[in-house]
Amino acid sequence: MSTSSDTLSFTGPFPHIRLRRNRRHDWSRRLVAENSLSANDLIWPVFIIEGENQIEPVPSMPGVFRYSIDRLVEACREAHDLGIPAVALFPRTPEHLKDLEGSESANPDNLICRATRALKAALPNLGVICDVALDPYTTSGHDGILRDGYVVNDETVEALCKQALVQAQAGSDVVAPSDMMDGRIRAVRECLDAHGFIDTQVCSYAAKYASGFYGPFRDAVGTGGTLQGGDKKTYQMDPANTDEALREVAIDLEEGADMVIIKPGMPYLDIIQRISSTFKVPTWAYQVSGEYAMIMAAVNNGWLSPEKVILESLLCFKRAGAGAILTYFAVDAAKRLQQLK
Ligand code: PBG
């Protein structure tokens, strides 16, 4: 009569396929890793203010600051030394320079243009990305020109072209329209080309959703109050939609975008995955201010461990197919990655 242990010795121990074998040792886990994160994947968004020797904390984004141009150069030197390829610049425009049309956006000596010139002079090998949208400059807080309560498309696109041109003239490597007007990528491309800026890259915020996760950013650039509870739903995308994001990307590529951004990031990994696998073009993700604030709030309460969640949150973008990530954690993450080496 066979015992149950006899039976086991014939069939072998259960189970014979063990996925945990590959996970047992660190060297093995590293060999079987399908994705990885490095400083090369990171773009650091930075806020700029007027003045000298100024560093101002952004209350809703613990650990994030607004820098005057001199301090910006210093902070970006650190980012550059850590291997971060590029920074994305966002100005906090003094209120007295704002108007209904956002005309300060086309001033060749505005804060962004001066910051760009200073950065390119000090750190020529650090990529500079400038946001193209009117919200830092309009009294309405909208990304475009408001007429009878509606952001008008074509007139805004003309203003965006002027804005992109002064940014390119200041030395910006990449201009990044984040306004969601129709037709602006082609218009900006043609305007740059006509003025000889054939090598200035155009990065389209192609799939940008009307999201609640931008709240802390609006505090940082001082547009939250002016928007007065209003929203951007007549030009930014409905969070309910996926197919429409593919259409936005297809059109912007056709119009000449060199790369596309999806925004926000973590709640939209499905969109990143679908766009990167459909188009096979440089696809960047923006882990936006509200995502940063959410993580930092939990970290500062002791509810999440920064050692674990920061790099994990960024690696997940790589898994979803993003080639690069705009993140307020860029400098912190680059330091953590260096320590892991
Ligand atoms: C505006 C712009 C926004 C962000 C980047 N560019 C905010 C908005 O659309 O209201 C948000 C970035 C963030 O939340 O980190 N053109």
Side-chain angles (χ1 to χ4, degrees):
M1 199 177 91
S2 66
T3 64
S4 58
S5 68
D6 283 337
T7 312
L8 274 180
S9 70
F10 280 108
T11 57
F14 170 86
H16 70 286
I17 295 172
R18 292 177 185 269
L19 293 185
R20 290 183 56 193
R21 282 187 201 109
N22 288 350
R23 297 179 199 142
R24 179 153 187 175
H25 302 291
D26 178 67
W27 62 263
S28 178
R29 289 194 293 272
R30 281 188 280 138
L31 282 174
V32 302
E34 297 173 41
N35 292 286
S36 65
L37 182 72
S38 88
N40 291 333
D41 303 319
L42 305 174
I43 297 166
W44 189 35
V46 231
F47 300 113
I48 314 170
I49 44 171
E50 290 288 356
E52 256 173 64
N53 198 21
Q54 300 289 317
I55 297 193
E56 252 175 37
V58 178
S60 51
M61 301 176 75
V64 168
F65 300 87
R66 306 181 189 101
Y67 302 89
S68 58
I69 292 178
D70 51 341
R71 302 301 291 265
L72 171 82
V73 172
E74 252 175 58
C76 289
R77 178 169 286 121
E78 184 191 21
H80 185 48
D81 290 346
L82 284 162
I84 293 172
V87 293
L89 306 182
F90 297 95
R92 180 178 188 133
T93 308
E95 293 303 316
H96 72 274
L97 294 176
K98 296 186 181 180
D99 59 24
L100 205 62
E101 256 114 70
S103 46
E104 175 67 5
S105 62
N107 174 1
D109 283 317
N110 67 21
L111 187 53
I112 279 295
C113 292
R114 280 180 280 128
T116 300
R117 282 194 289 269
L119 277 177
K120 292 312 292 184
L123 305 163
N125 296 322
L126 178 71
V128 170
I129 303 170
C130 290
D131 207 66
V132 179
L134 302 185
D135 56 314
Y137 309 100
T138 51
T139 39
S140 67
H142 277 292
D143 291 22
I145 298 168
L146 205 59
R147 299 268 182 246
D148 298 327
Y150 185 68
V151 172
V152 290
N153 196 89
D154 302 5
E155 206 182 328
T156 297
V157 170
E158 279 176 37
L160 297 173
C161 290
K162 291 183 191 146
Q163 181 183 18
L165 184 60
V166 296
Q167 292 171 346
Q169 284 164 341
S172 173
D173 299 289
V174 184
V175 294
S178 73
D179 55 285
M180 292 300 279
M181 298 302 114
D182 289 318
R184 89 279 205 222
I185 299 300
R186 184 185 308 273
V188 164
R189 180 74 272 160
E190 282 175 0
C191 174
L192 294 178
D193 288 353
H195 288 83
F197 293 97
I198 56 170
D199 288 326
T200 303
Q201 290 153 275
V202 178
C203 171
S204 174
Y205 283 84
K208 176 169 178 181
Y209 287 83
S211 170
F213 287 98
Y214 307 145
F217 173 96
R218 293 177 188 168
D219 292 340
V221 297
T223 60
T226 44
L227 207 53
Q228 281 162 351
D231 59 51
K232 301 189 176 181
K233 285 181 186 163
T234 71
Y235 45 105
Q236 298 179 346
M237 284 182 56
D238 183 343
N241 297 353
T242 303
D243 289 338
E244 191 189 356
L246 298 190
R247 254 185 113 187
E248 283 284 2
V249 169
I251 291 166
D252 288 359
L253 291 172
E254 177 64 32
E255 289 186 8
D258 297 292
M259 62 286 274
V260 293
I261 293 181
I262 291 110
K263 171 184 182 184
M266 282 152 44
Y268 293 80
L269 289 177
D270 57 322
I271 309 295
I272 296 167
Q273 204 282 327
R274 226 177 135 199
I275 287 175
S276 67
S277 60
T278 303
F279 294 100
K280 317 266 182 218
V281 299
T283 303
W284 296 353
Y286 200 142
Q287 184 183 50
V288 300
S289 57
E291 303 173 58
Y292 175 88
M294 211 160 59
I295 291 176
M296 286 308 291
V299 163
N300 288 341
N301 270 296
W303 298 334
L304 287 175
S305 155
E307 285 72 40
K308 298 200 171 103
V309 295
I310 293 173
L311 293 184
E312 179 182 337
S313 74
L314 299 173
L315 179 60
C316 292
F317 287 111
K318 295 294 300 292
R319 193 194 60 233
I325 307 140
L326 290 99
T327 173
Y328 301 96
F329 286 119
V331 169
D332 175 279
K335 286 182 190 160
R336 289 178 196 281
L337 288 166
Q338 217 165 47
Q339 281 159 14
L340 290 180
K341 273 190 194 156

